[in-house]
Amino acid sequence: MHKSTIRGAAAVMLSLASYAASAQPKPVDIGFIGTLSTPAGYIGEDERDAFMLAVKEGGGKLGGVPVNVRVEDDALKPANAKQIADKMVQGGVRLFTGINFSNVMAAVGPTVLNVGAFYVSLNAGPSNYAGKACNPNYFAVAFQNDSYADTAGMAANELGAKRVVIMAPNYQAGRDAIAGFKRTYKGEIADEIYTKLEQADFSVELARIRSLNPDAIFQFHPGGAGINLTKQFANSGLADKIKMITPIYSMDDRMLAATGTAGKGFYLSSLWSADLDNPQSKHFVDAFTKAYNRPPTAYAAQAYDTANLIGSALKAVNGDITGKPDDFRNALRRADFPSVRGKFKFGSNQHPIQDWYLLHIEAGPDGKLVYKNLKVLARDHTDVHAADCKMQ
């Protein structure tokens, strides 16, 4: 073989190798800021674990694109979260998720969105980002906060509750929950009680409820506060005569295990339950349980969907979210991924349109408390704030 031919072949091989290397997407950094400590830390743990399950199933990739998930604990402190987000943005991170609480989201949102980065929410759904402050780079995969409450209002109507006390912490999600419930509930509001976000003692509130003697209570208290409230409610004797109606986030699987039998009889509104009959949900429940030796919560289900949504959009742009932001955004909007909820799509404000269910906590055949899916509360349900969103 002539030397010139050898040199030519070598050049071709080098060119092909260079092309192949350039075609391989670079790892994408994902800033995962979540609540991993405090009594609500188990929520962030479930969300992180489910998100990372999707990454592990992809061999360290989402949508075939390598990802570097940078997990940080906000300790349920907005200032902490903002400091973490500032540092990540300065380090070049342009894709974020993980925040569970809406007051934390309020601190981080401007930091992320003002630099043109993307935030894909796996839980927090404050009303402002669904309405007047909607942003092309903000997506809510779980819900808008009102949705788990206005569907609870529908549940109260279904259950024949004529007079209800409503109670929630005095922060963005709590206020959204109160507003959502009042929007759909048709009976009398006996009282409207606001608590502290990390409150532990509810004796004063329960005494007030006893004096009012309502048919039912609607309350939204996720995490440790909800565990304490549930135990104190059961010990007070009120559970024998007053229905408890909550979103799933006020009595998730981990809370149910922590409260013993205190959650028995609760009615819940939920966007997902482990017995949903679709292939992706069945796969997820089995994979999560095997990976972590515990059943997944709704928080985990939302996080798994979030990871797979992100993967579908990363695949569409081969990981180039900064060079092709419009294409990445459009791919997120298409929501072309298998959801544990069976069907999933975004509304005009980039918040979900989805079904909600009425669940009841009761004893199973073995005496262990389980969630029984009673019926669909609302089909293709969306939020009222979309009308105020003027997305460009």
Side-chain angles (χ1 to χ4, degrees):
M1 184 180 291
H2 293 293
K3 290 182 179 179
S4 60
T5 303
I6 294 173
R7 286 195 299 269
V12 170
M13 292 176 66
L14 182 62
S15 176
L16 288 173
S18 177
Y19 173 78
S22 65
Q24 294 296 317
K26 296 179 180 178
V28 174
D29 286 331
I30 300 176
F32 189 107
I33 305 170
T35 301
L36 297 167
S37 58
T38 79
Y42 78 86
I43 297 174
E45 180 186 42
D46 263 23
E47 291 164 341
R48 177 203 62 199
D49 288 353
F51 193 94
M52 294 310 299
L53 174 63
V55 175
K56 291 173 184 175
E57 289 179 335
K61 301 176 181 179
L62 290 175
V65 176
V67 293
N68 174 31
V69 185
R70 298 171 57 176
V71 179
E72 294 283 353
D73 177 21
D74 60 41
L76 194 45
K77 295 180 179 178
N80 284 9
K82 185 181 186 308
Q83 186 177 33
I84 293 166
D86 286 342
K87 186 175 181 180
M88 286 186 176
V89 164
Q90 291 166 10
V93 179
R94 290 297 180 267
L95 178 58
F96 290 82
T97 190
I99 292 174
N100 188 70
F101 288 88
S102 293
N103 58 330
V104 179
M105 186 70 247
V108 169
T111 293
V112 173
L113 300 174
N114 288 349
V115 297
F118 288 86
Y119 193 89
V120 185
S121 180
L122 52 69
N123 191 74
S127 55
N128 56 317
Y129 280 127
K132 294 180 179 179
C134 64
N135 187 292
N137 284 9
Y138 177 90
F139 290 79
V141 182
F143 46 67
Q144 190 279 312
N145 290 341
D146 292 33
S147 297
Y148 52 70
D150 61 21
T151 51
M154 297 174 193
N157 296 332
E158 291 270 352
L159 295 168
K162 303 299 183 184
R163 192 164 177 268
V164 175
V165 170
I166 54 180
M167 183 165 63
N170 191 14
Y171 79 115
Q172 182 68 59
R175 293 188 294 271
D176 285 347
I178 293 291
F181 185 89
K182 290 167 67 175
R183 186 177 299 114
T184 57
Y185 177 57
K186 297 178 181 179
E188 176 190 351
I189 303 295
D191 201 2
E192 190 171 317
I193 301 173
Y194 287 93
T195 59
K196 296 179 181 178
L197 182 56
E198 297 183 79
Q199 188 165 323
D201 181 6
F202 295 90
S203 57
V204 172
E205 289 80 6
L206 291 172
R208 173 66 176 158
I209 290 168
R210 185 185 300 278
S211 69
L212 291 165
N213 193 31
D215 299 324
I217 300 169
F218 164 73
Q219 59 92 2
F220 168 68
H221 289 83
I227 291 171
N228 291 329
L229 174 57
T230 297
K231 289 179 177 179
Q232 292 166 34
F233 176 68
N235 291 336
S236 72
L238 294 174
D240 296 331
K241 57 180 181 178
I242 300 176
K243 291 185 177 73
M244 180 66 84
I245 303 169
T246 81
I248 187 67
Y249 311 102
S250 296
M251 190 44 65
D252 61 58
D253 296 75
R254 302 281 288 271
M255 296 173 73
L256 189 61
T259 53
T261 61
K264 185 177 181 180
F266 279 30
Y267 290 93
L268 315 171
S269 63
S270 182
L271 52 74
W272 177 84
S273 64
D275 60 354
L276 287 186
D277 188 18
N278 73 73
Q280 183 72 344
S281 182
K282 291 179 179 179
H283 163 76
F284 166 65
V285 171
D286 183 61
F288 187 96
T289 303
K290 287 181 178 178
Y292 303 112
N293 197 32
R294 66 178 189 272
T297 60
Y299 293 111
Q302 297 159 191
Y304 189 73
D305 268 0
T306 301
N308 286 312
L309 167 68
I310 288 173
S312 71
L314 289 175
K315 181 179 181 180
V317 297
N318 200 33
D320 188 8
I321 62 175
T322 55
K324 301 177 180 178
D326 292 340
D327 292 340
F328 183 69
R329 185 183 305 108
N330 289 333
L332 287 172
R333 286 172 177 163
R334 286 194 296 273
D336 185 17
F337 73 101
S339 171
V340 299
R341 286 165 267 185
K343 59 179 181 177
F344 178 95
K345 64 180 180 180
F346 284 118
S348 59
N349 61 348
Q350 298 173 174
H351 284 63
I353 297 174
Q354 60 189 331
D355 294 345
W356 285 80
Y357 305 89
L358 176 61
L359 310 184
H360 185 234
I361 299 176
E362 53 192 61
D366 60 356
K368 183 180 179 181
L369 293 184
V370 297
Y371 300 97
K372 183 176 181 180
N373 195 327
L374 299 181
K375 63 179 297 183
V376 177
L377 274 173
R379 293 192 184 277
D380 297 326
H381 185 62
T382 187
D383 63 274
V384 299
H385 304 286
D388 296 325
C389 173
K390 309 301 180 185
M391 193 86 71
Q392 297 297 323

